[in-house]
Coordinates of all heavy atoms in Angstrom, one line a residue:
Chain B
K15 N -46.5 -4.0 -10.2 CA -47.1 -3.4 -8.9 C -47.2 -2.0 -8.9 O -48.0 -1.4 -8.1 CB -46.3 -3.9 -7.7 CG -44.9 -3.4 -7.6 CD -44.4 -3.8 -6.1 CE -42.9 -3.2 -5.9 NZ -41.9 -4.3 -6.0
Q16 N -46.5 -1.3 -9.9 CA -46.7 0.2 -9.9 C -47.8 0.6 -10.9 O -48.0 1.8 -11.1 CB -45.4 0.9 -10.4 CG -44.3 1.1 -9.2 CD -43.3 0.0 -9.2 OE1 -43.3 -0.9 -10.0 NE2 -42.5 0.0 -8.1
V17 N -48.4 -0.4 -11.5 CA -49.5 0.0 -12.5 C -50.5 1.0 -11.8 O -50.9 0.7 -10.7 CB -50.2 -1.3 -13.1 CG1 -51.5 -1.0 -13.8 CG2 -49.2 -2.0 -14.0
G18 N -50.8 2.0 -12.5 CA -51.8 3.0 -12.0 C -51.1 4.2 -11.4 O -51.7 5.2 -11.2
E19 N -49.8 4.0 -11.0 CA -49.2 5.1 -10.4 C -48.7 6.2 -11.4 O -48.4 5.9 -12.5 CB -47.9 4.6 -9.6 CG -48.1 4.0 -8.3 CD -46.8 3.6 -7.6 OE1 -45.8 4.2 -7.9 OE2 -46.9 2.5 -6.9
E20 N -48.7 7.5 -10.9 CA -48.1 8.5 -11.7 C -46.6 8.6 -11.4 O -46.2 8.6 -10.3 CB -48.8 9.9 -11.4 CG -48.2 10.9 -12.3 CD -48.8 12.3 -12.0 OE1 -50.0 12.5 -12.3 OE2 -48.1 13.1 -11.4
V21 N -45.8 8.6 -12.5 CA -44.3 8.6 -12.3 C -43.7 9.6 -13.1 O -44.3 10.1 -14.1 CB -43.8 7.2 -12.6 CG1 -44.3 6.1 -11.7 CG2 -44.0 6.8 -14.1
T22 N -42.5 10.0 -12.8 CA -41.7 10.8 -13.6 C -40.3 10.0 -13.9 O -39.8 9.5 -13.0 CB -41.3 12.2 -13.0 OG1 -42.5 12.9 -12.7 CG2 -40.5 13.0 -13.9
L23 N -40.1 10.0 -15.2 CA -38.8 9.3 -15.7 C -38.0 10.4 -16.4 O -38.6 11.2 -17.1 CB -39.1 8.1 -16.5 CG -39.9 7.0 -15.9 CD1 -40.2 5.9 -16.9 CD2 -39.2 6.4 -14.7
S24 N -36.7 10.3 -16.4 CA -35.9 11.1 -17.2 C -34.7 10.3 -17.8 O -34.2 9.4 -17.2 CB -35.4 12.3 -16.5 OG -34.9 12.0 -15.3
G25 N -34.3 10.6 -19.1 CA -33.2 9.8 -19.7 C -33.1 10.1 -21.1 O -33.5 11.2 -21.6
W26 N -32.5 9.2 -21.8 CA -32.2 9.3 -23.3 C -33.1 8.5 -24.1 O -33.5 7.4 -23.7 CB -30.8 8.9 -23.5 CG -29.7 9.8 -23.0 CD1 -29.1 10.7 -23.7 CD2 -29.2 9.9 -21.7 NE1 -28.1 11.4 -22.9 CE2 -28.2 11.0 -21.6 CE3 -29.5 9.3 -20.5 CZ2 -27.5 11.3 -20.5 CZ3 -28.8 9.7 -19.3 CH2 -27.9 10.7 -19.3
V27 N -33.5 9.1 -25.2 CA -34.3 8.4 -26.2 C -33.4 7.2 -26.8 O -32.5 7.6 -27.5 CB -34.9 9.3 -27.3 CG1 -35.6 8.5 -28.4 CG2 -35.8 10.3 -26.7
Y28 N -33.7 6.0 -26.6 CA -32.9 4.9 -27.1 C -33.5 4.5 -28.4 O -32.8 4.6 -29.5 CB -32.9 3.8 -26.1 CG -32.0 2.6 -26.5 CD1 -30.8 2.8 -27.0 CD2 -32.4 1.3 -26.4 CE1 -30.0 1.8 -27.4 CE2 -31.7 0.2 -26.7 CZ -30.4 0.5 -27.3 OH -29.6 -0.6 -27.7
K29 N -34.7 4.1 -28.4 CA -35.3 3.7 -29.7 C -36.7 4.4 -29.8 O -37.3 4.6 -28.8 CB -35.5 2.2 -29.7 CG -34.2 1.5 -30.1 CD -34.4 0.0 -30.1 CE -33.0 -0.6 -30.4 NZ -33.0 -2.0 -30.0
R30 N -37.1 4.7 -31.0 CA -38.4 5.4 -31.2 C -39.0 4.7 -32.4 O -38.4 4.5 -33.4 CB -38.1 6.8 -31.5 CG -39.3 7.7 -31.8 CD -38.9 9.1 -32.2 NE -40.0 9.8 -32.9 CZ -40.3 9.6 -34.1 NH1 -39.7 8.7 -34.9 NH2 -41.3 10.4 -34.6
R31 N -40.3 4.4 -32.2 CA -41.1 3.7 -33.2 C -42.4 4.5 -33.4 O -43.2 4.7 -32.5 CB -41.5 2.3 -32.9 CG -40.2 1.3 -32.8 CD -40.6 0.0 -32.3 NE -41.4 -0.1 -31.1 CZ -40.8 0.0 -29.9 NH1 -39.5 0.2 -29.8 NH2 -41.5 -0.1 -28.8
D32 N -42.6 4.9 -34.6 CA -43.8 5.8 -34.9 C -44.8 4.9 -35.6 O -44.7 4.3 -36.7 CB -43.4 6.8 -35.9 CG -44.5 7.8 -36.2 OD1 -45.7 7.5 -35.8 OD2 -44.2 8.9 -36.7
H33 N -45.9 4.6 -34.7 CA -47.0 3.8 -35.2 C -48.1 4.7 -35.7 O -49.3 4.3 -35.5 CB -47.4 2.8 -34.1 CG -46.5 1.7 -33.9 ND1 -46.8 0.5 -33.2 CD2 -45.2 1.6 -34.2 CE1 -45.8 -0.3 -33.2 NE2 -44.8 0.3 -33.8
G34 N -47.8 5.8 -36.3 CA -48.9 6.7 -36.8 C -49.6 7.4 -35.6 O -49.1 8.4 -35.1
Q35 N -50.6 6.7 -35.1 CA -51.4 7.3 -34.0 C -50.6 7.3 -32.7 O -50.9 8.2 -31.9 CB -52.7 6.6 -34.0 CG -53.8 7.4 -33.2 CD -54.0 8.8 -33.7 OE1 -53.1 9.5 -34.0 NE2 -55.3 9.1 -33.9
L36 N -49.7 6.4 -32.5 CA -49.0 6.3 -31.3 C -47.5 6.3 -31.6 O -47.0 5.8 -32.6 CB -49.3 5.0 -30.5 CG -50.7 4.8 -30.1 CD1 -50.9 3.4 -29.5 CD2 -51.2 5.9 -29.1
I37 N -46.8 6.9 -30.6 CA -45.3 6.9 -30.7 C -44.7 6.1 -29.5 O -45.1 6.5 -28.4 CB -44.7 8.3 -30.9 CG1 -45.0 8.7 -32.3 CG2 -43.2 8.2 -30.7 CD1 -44.8 10.2 -32.5
F38 N -43.9 5.1 -29.8 CA -43.3 4.4 -28.7 C -41.9 4.8 -28.6 O -41.1 4.9 -29.6 CB -43.3 2.9 -29.0 CG -44.7 2.3 -29.0 CD1 -45.5 2.3 -30.1 CD2 -45.2 1.8 -27.8 CE1 -46.8 1.8 -30.1 CE2 -46.5 1.2 -27.8 CZ -47.3 1.3 -28.9
V39 N -41.4 5.0 -27.4 CA -40.0 5.4 -27.1 C -39.5 4.6 -26.0 O -40.1 4.4 -25.0 CB -40.0 6.9 -26.7 CG1 -38.5 7.2 -26.0 CG2 -40.1 7.8 -27.9

Side-chain angles (χ1 to χ4, degrees):
Chain B
K15 65 169 182 255
Q16 279 97 4
V17 164
E19 283 182 29
E20 185 184 283
V21 298
T22 301
L23 299 177
S24 46
W26 286 261
V27 172
Y28 181 44
K29 282 179 182 157
R30 177 182 165 282
R31 295 177 304 283
D32 187 344
H33 287 198
Q35 199 51 316
L36 297 176
I37 288 167
F38 292 89
V39 162

